[in-house]
Each structure stands twice: as C-alpha cells, then as structure tokens.
C-alpha cells in the first residue's frame, strides 16, 4: 500500500501562514501526496508551489460549519476554481440536516454541482458524520449519490468527533461503488489510517501526514 497516495496533506487552522503553505507544498512534492488541502486564501499560492507535480490543490467551501448561504458557497466555489483549485471539499448545511430539511440540501447540492461539473472539478461533500445519527448519514449518502458527487467525506476536523470506522463502513454500505469516501478528523497514526482504508475510505485527510508516511516506511 502506497499510503502517501491516499493522503490529502492538510492545513486549515485559522492562523495558517504563508510559511505553513510553503512547507505543506514542499512536503507534498517530497512525499507525493494526493493533494494539498489549503484555505481558500492560499489556493493560488499552492498552485504555484505544486506546479506540474502529481499533487492536486484542494480547498474548502462553507468551512467549517456549513451554514453559509447557498449563494455564498457557489461564489466561494467559483472563486476557488478561478484561483486554480482542482478539488472542492464542501461542508453541507448541517443545520438543514438537523431540521430534516432535505429539500434545502437538494437545492444546495444541485446548485454546486452545476458549477463543479461545468468546470470538470472534483467535489468532496463533508457531512460531519460524528454529529449525525446513522439514519442521517444514510439519508446523506442517498441524496449525494443521486447527484453523483465524487466523494462523501466524514468530517471537517472541527466537530467534537471526527472520522470513525463505523461511519466509513456505514457510508460504504450506502453509496454506489463509483462514489469514493474521504475520512478525515483525528487521523494521526498509520494504524488508524489503515483501519479507515480497510473500512472503505479511498482518501485520508490529515495534518499528521508526514509522520504517518514515516511510520509506514519504518
């Protein structure tokens, strides 16, 4: 297993600096990670640093709470794509899930998919599985499968609970085979990353990426 190719090397803290982004991108090049996941402010810079390497540039939309207006998420998405983002990690409106307002969530994803598909980019829908019930996770899988998203992603890393093997297994059981799963939130060891991959994750979001790869090589 080439664990590095599963990993989105990530820095999304609110105090992220230019130096943080430079270091992240240099590590992406050195370890050949799948993507560098950076705040929207730094997409252009990350694109420059990564150049023609295999690592993609990912950024976040509606991060971290997901309750931005649909129009705001669409505008964020357009700007991120203009700046050079290859992959968009979009936080769904968790409040709408808790309100059982699936009509709103359908409108949200329909508007986002128009923009992302037109520009042939990758969308990872963050459902924040750690604060959803199993029933809510299943409903999310059904909705986002209907719209053919590229990935359903467990977590932002900002909720009280991040990725879990149970959530990934539940998502895998309720998504078609062509929709991938990204596990993120609290993944700091090779053992946990492997558990999540065995459960069905095909991408891992982590800030401890380098230590995970070093552990794999040791």
């Amino acid at each position: 297993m080439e664990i590095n190719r599963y990993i989105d090397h990530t820095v999304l803290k609110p105090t992220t600096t230019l130096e943080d982004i430079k270091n992240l991108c240099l590590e992406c090049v050195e370890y050949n990670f799948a993507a560098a996941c950076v705040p929207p402010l730094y997409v252009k810079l990350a694109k420059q640093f990564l150049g023609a390497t295999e690592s993609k540039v990912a950024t976040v939309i509606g991060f971290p709470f997901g309750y931005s207006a649909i129009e705001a998420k669409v505008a964020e998405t357009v700007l991120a794509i203009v700046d050079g983002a290859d992959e968009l990690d979009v936080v769904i409106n968790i409040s709408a899930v808790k309100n059982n307002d699936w009509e709103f969530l359908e409108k949200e994803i329909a508007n986002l998919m128009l923009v992302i598909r037109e520009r042939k980019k990758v969308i990872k829908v963050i459902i924040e599985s750690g604060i959803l019930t199993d029933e809510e996770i299943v409903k999310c899988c059904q909705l986002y499968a209907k719209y053919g998203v590229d990935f359903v992603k467990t977590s932002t890393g900002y909720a009280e609970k991040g990725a879990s093997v149970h959530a990934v297994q539940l998502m895998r059981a309720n998504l078609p085979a062509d929709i991938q799963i990204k596990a993120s939130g609290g993944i700091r060891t090779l053992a946990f990353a492997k558990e999540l991959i065995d459960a069905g994750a095909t991408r891992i979001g982590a800030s401890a990426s380098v230590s995970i790869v070093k552990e794999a090589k040791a």
Side-chain angles (χ1 to χ4, degrees):
M1 177 193 292
E2 289 186 66
I3 191 71
N4 57 307
R5 296 306 297 162
Y6 284 85
I7 293 174
D8 284 359
H9 192 23
T10 303
V11 60
L12 293 169
K13 60 187 179 183
T15 54
T16 300
T17 64
L18 290 166
E19 194 65 22
D20 291 331
I21 298 301
K22 182 179 179 181
N23 290 335
L24 183 92
C25 291
L26 288 172
E27 288 168 348
C28 270
V29 174
E30 181 179 353
Y31 295 99
N32 194 24
F33 290 125
C37 190
V38 302
L41 172 67
Y42 295 115
V43 168
K44 274 186 183 177
L45 190 66
K47 196 73 175 175
Q48 290 170 15
F49 281 137
L50 291 175
T53 66
E54 288 186 5
S55 297
K56 302 297 185 185
V57 176
T59 194
V60 287
I61 306 296
F63 195 84
F65 301 120
Y67 46 41
S68 314
I70 294 171
E71 296 84 354
K73 287 182 182 174
V74 169
E76 276 190 80
T77 301
V78 170
L79 288 169
I81 292 170
V82 167
D83 284 348
D86 303 298
E87 303 181 354
L88 295 307
D89 290 34
V90 181
V91 188
I92 69 166
N93 194 311
I94 312 299
S95 295
V97 176
K98 292 302 181 182
N99 287 328
N100 206 30
D101 191 350
W102 299 96
E103 187 178 334
F104 179 94
L105 288 159
E106 187 149 5
K107 182 181 176 184
E108 178 179 75
I109 191 61
N111 277 274
L112 287 163
M113 290 300 283
L114 282 173
V115 176
I116 289 167
R117 284 292 172 255
E118 182 186 346
R119 291 161 177 83
K120 296 181 172 60
K121 302 300 180 180
V122 168
I123 179 171
K124 307 186 200 106
V125 176
I126 308 173
I127 65 171
E128 205 66 277
S129 59
I131 54 176
L132 301 185
T133 65
D134 283 4
E135 183 185 3
E136 288 165 342
I137 291 172
V138 170
K139 282 187 174 181
C140 282
C141 289
Q142 291 168 343
L143 172 61
Y144 298 113
K146 175 181 172 183
Y147 280 87
V149 302
D150 299 292
F151 288 80
V152 179
K153 176 177 169 181
T154 61
S155 325
T156 60
Y158 282 81
E160 53 264 36
K161 185 179 178 185
S164 70
V165 170
H166 170 73
V168 172
Q169 288 172 334
L170 184 62
M171 290 157 68
R172 186 68 280 157
N174 288 280
L175 287 168
D178 61 336
I179 294 181
Q180 300 182 67
I181 295 168
K182 177 175 172 180
S184 65
I187 305 168
R188 298 183 183 89
T189 66
L190 176 64
F192 189 32
K194 281 184 170 178
E195 279 187 76
L196 294 164
I197 291 166
D198 288 344
T202 48
R203 195 77 71 87
I204 298 292
S207 55
S209 317
V210 172
S211 63
I212 290 171
V213 171
K214 284 181 176 177
E215 200 181 338
K217 288 179 177 179

